[in-house]
Amino acid sequence: MSAAKRTIPPLYAFPSIHDFPPFYTIQPTLSTRGKQLQLWCDIILQYCAATKTPSLSTSTTGPSPSSPSSPSGSAPSASAALFTNDKIRRRLDRDAITTIIDELVKQGNAEWDHPTKRDSCLVMWRKPEQWAAAVAKWAFETGATNSICTMYELLHGELTEGHDFHGLDERTMVKALEALAHDGKAQLFIGATDIEMGVKFF
Amino acid sequence: MARRRAGISGLQQQARTNQEFQRAGEALSQSQLEQLKSQLAIFKSHLEDFARKYRKDIKRDPKFRMHFQRMCTNIGVDPLASNKGFWSELLGVGDFYYELGVQISEICIATRERNGGLIDVTDLKRLLERMRGKDAQEISEDDIARSIKTLKPLGSGFDVVVVGNRKLVQSVPRELNADFSTLLGLAQVKGFTTARDVAERLGWDTERAQRVLNDLLKDGICWLDVQVDPPEYWVAGFFKS
């Protein structure tokens, strides 16, 4: 009598369009292309949110270009998972991936690491303003206002465990905090590195 | 037995019915004609009793509903003819098909950019069931077809189109010309076709094949796949979503 084999379900299930072969060719018909790009953007954001992937590469093979948001080189495997489909033997080529990420950037959900050499990008499945609101809410609810928090505490501290932004990548959090500062809801204290940045909530 | 309809066509129909009765009357004797009329009236009142008694089943069971509809058609009663009146009040049938029609429109509009306004009925049914939820009245393909019939006069292009083994719902005003239908018929087996396939199977020259495929592409019905040779033209409406 053997124990049933437990398989871990994937964090994200791709919608059926991901198995549609033409989905991997940028469509010539404008209205169809518009729909195609929108679907790709939706899938990217859902996948990145589910797997907490903060960055993507335009290459689905080879080593990840070193990027500030992905020093451990996790970018290619996410790109490979998203943009290739071995089951139907199709993949998005580099140009297609670039076109799609340009669309994400236009939407405000991504940023190229290098605007001219578009190899990799930061993906923000929620926009900085939305993260800013979440952090501000936490600060208010836990009475963290008027005391200084470090970035490290915000991202990895005990007090933020269980909150959506716990474990968020630094680059996105910096943007969120900058948005708060811009609105006069916080003051930032620059440290030697991002992780040492301090923030005081009002 | 002619069906009663509103408007000018209804009056014309009424005139025709009277003419038919007159002609029938000339063939039958007066007493036979009286018998026929009263028999039909009895059928109608039995049908009303039946509908009253089995109202819940008509609402709940799509197969039963379809058989009931057929009975009505045979006797010359149309539960969908008017939204007011005995039938729709008793069965709420008018509302059911109206609601379904609205849901069908919503789904077709939402998927139009993806499939060029052509969606497989089985796909539509699945999306409808998802939209309506587990506790909603069960629907059948027959219900969908009837609902679309009521949408047709609204002029937004709703129609059921048969292509090979598949039934599609079209939701844009489009003349599905013979060439389109033929190519769709070819594509419905594997979900796609190629210019070479078209030329070989239909005997068209490649120019004509390519032209029609380009039209299908431009209309949003087909998506192009260039990662194979020859390039494949996939009908989005045939792909299970």
Side-chain angles (χ1 to χ4, degrees):
Chain A
M1 202 128 17
S2 61
K5 191 162 160 194
R6 270 176 116 241
T7 46
I8 304 167
L11 290 167
Y12 176 68
F14 287 101
S16 59
I17 195 91
H18 200 253
D19 287 339
F20 189 48
F23 198 47
Y24 297 78
T25 300
I26 298 293
Q27 292 302 300
T29 306
L30 277 181
S31 58
T32 313
R33 185 194 312 178
K35 188 65 185 176
Q36 178 187 28
L37 294 181
Q38 182 218 309
L39 287 168
W40 269 115
C41 288
D42 289 347
I43 289 174
I44 291 171
L45 294 180
Q46 288 161 13
Y47 176 88
C48 288
T51 58
K52 303 237 191 263
T53 302
S55 97
L56 285 178
S57 162
T58 53
S59 157
T60 55
T61 57
S64 147
S66 75
S67 86
S69 47
S70 170
S72 59
S74 61
S77 57
S79 292
L82 274 166
F83 305 132
T84 65
N85 189 328
D86 291 330
K87 191 168 38 166
I88 58 172
R89 282 164 289 134
R90 297 289 188 279
R91 59 176 33 200
L92 284 176
D93 65 26
R94 198 184 205 108
D95 280 343
I97 297 174
T98 308
T99 302
I100 291 169
I101 293 179
D102 274 341
E103 193 65 29
L104 260 184
V105 170
K106 218 194 295 175
Q107 255 179 228
N109 284 109
E111 209 178 69
W112 288 110
D113 289 340
H114 304 279
T116 43
K117 192 171 74 128
R118 297 182 300 177
D119 280 341
S120 58
C121 70
L122 169 72
V123 178
M124 300 173 280
W125 59 87
R126 275 192 224 168
K127 298 192 183 163
E129 302 74 50
Q130 292 169 293
W131 288 121
V135 174
K137 186 162 179 261
W138 166 84
F140 179 73
E141 282 171 0
T142 57
T145 45
N146 285 310
S147 58
I148 298 183
C149 259
T150 63
M151 172 79 87
Y152 181 84
E153 284 170 331
L154 272 180
L155 292 178
H156 306 294
E158 283 177 350
L159 290 176
T160 65
E161 260 168 43
H163 285 263
D164 291 344
F165 56 83
H166 186 90
L168 190 62
D169 66 284
E170 283 165 31
R171 238 170 104 185
T172 305
M173 183 53 94
V174 167
K175 288 182 184 299
L177 296 178
E178 284 172 351
L180 278 181
H182 186 264
D183 285 346
K185 297 202 179 127
Q187 187 182 0
L188 303 183
F189 301 92
I190 309 296
T193 58
D194 270 352
I195 200 71
E196 289 169 28
M197 178 184 276
V199 55
K200 178 173 175 182
F201 300 99
F202 298 135
Chain B
M1 172 74 171
R3 305 203 308 175
R4 201 157 40 89
R5 272 180 250 206
I8 291 183
S9 76
L11 290 173
Q12 291 171 331
Q13 185 75 325
Q14 188 70 31
R16 261 189 299 242
T17 309
N18 291 336
Q19 269 185 351
E20 280 166 21
F21 269 119
Q22 209 164 351
R23 249 176 277 146
E26 285 158 26
L28 296 168
S29 74
Q30 184 62 20
S31 73
Q32 281 172 324
L33 194 57
E34 287 305 319
Q35 259 189 344
L36 183 64
K37 280 191 192 173
S38 78
Q39 195 63 44
L40 286 165
I42 292 171
F43 281 159
K44 267 200 185 168
S45 105
H46 280 182
L47 192 62
E48 288 171 9
D49 288 342
F50 182 90
R52 236 183 247 110
K53 184 172 175 194
Y54 290 102
R55 175 187 189 188
K56 281 215 190 91
D57 297 287
I58 291 167
K59 281 187 138 174
R60 203 180 355 115
D61 184 345
K63 265 213 194 104
F64 193 82
R65 180 161 60 240
M66 185 181 71
H67 288 307
F68 174 74
Q69 300 262 38
R70 292 213 182 129
M71 266 202 304
C72 291
T73 307
N74 289 339
I75 294 179
V77 170
D78 188 351
L80 294 178
S82 78
N83 210 24
K84 298 197 205 282
F86 171 76
W87 287 106
S88 68
E89 273 171 33
L90 174 67
L91 298 175
V93 153
D95 283 342
F96 168 74
Y97 286 102
Y98 175 76
E99 251 177 53
L100 190 60
V102 169
Q103 289 166 337
I104 290 172
S105 308
E106 279 178 22
I107 291 173
C108 287
I109 288 169
T111 58
R112 197 170 282 168
E113 270 180 307
R114 194 159 137 167
N115 55 34
L118 267 185
I119 182 171
D120 192 315
V121 157
T122 43
D123 230 10
L124 175 60
K125 180 159 179 271
R126 196 158 18 93
L127 291 172
L128 277 170
E129 282 161 355
R130 206 191 296 171
M131 179 189 255
R132 293 163 62 85
K134 275 180 292 182
D135 300 323
Q137 254 172 292
E138 210 189 306
I139 54 170
S140 65
E141 279 187 23
D142 184 75
D143 289 327
I144 292 174
R146 284 179 199 274
S147 194
I148 287 171
K149 247 205 215 133
T150 67
L151 289 173
K152 245 176 119 158
L154 298 177
S156 24
F158 279 93
D159 207 354
V160 176
V161 172
V162 176
V163 171
N165 295 330
R166 297 185 194 240
K167 277 200 216 104
L168 304 168
V169 171
Q170 179 162 263
S171 60
V172 290
R174 172 198 288 131
E175 203 42 66
L176 249 199
N177 64 55
D179 281 354
F180 269 25
S181 306
T182 311
L183 282 210
L184 289 177
L186 252 192
Q188 59 103 17
V189 178
K190 288 183 287 187
F192 69 89
T193 188
T194 64
R196 184 194 297 167
D197 217 23
V198 172
E200 278 175 14
R201 312 262 232 105
L202 302 177
W204 294 2
D205 57 74
T206 39
E207 221 182 66
R208 179 182 172 196
Q210 194 59 64
R211 195 175 6 107
V212 183
L213 285 172
N214 288 344
D215 283 344
L216 281 170
L217 201 61
K218 246 190 288 177
D219 241 30
I221 295 177
C222 280
W223 287 50
L224 180 65
D225 182 2
V226 297
Q227 291 189 23
V228 272
D229 183 50
E232 288 170 359
Y233 291 75
W234 288 73
V235 178
F238 289 159
F239 185 75
K240 185 162 166 248
S241 72

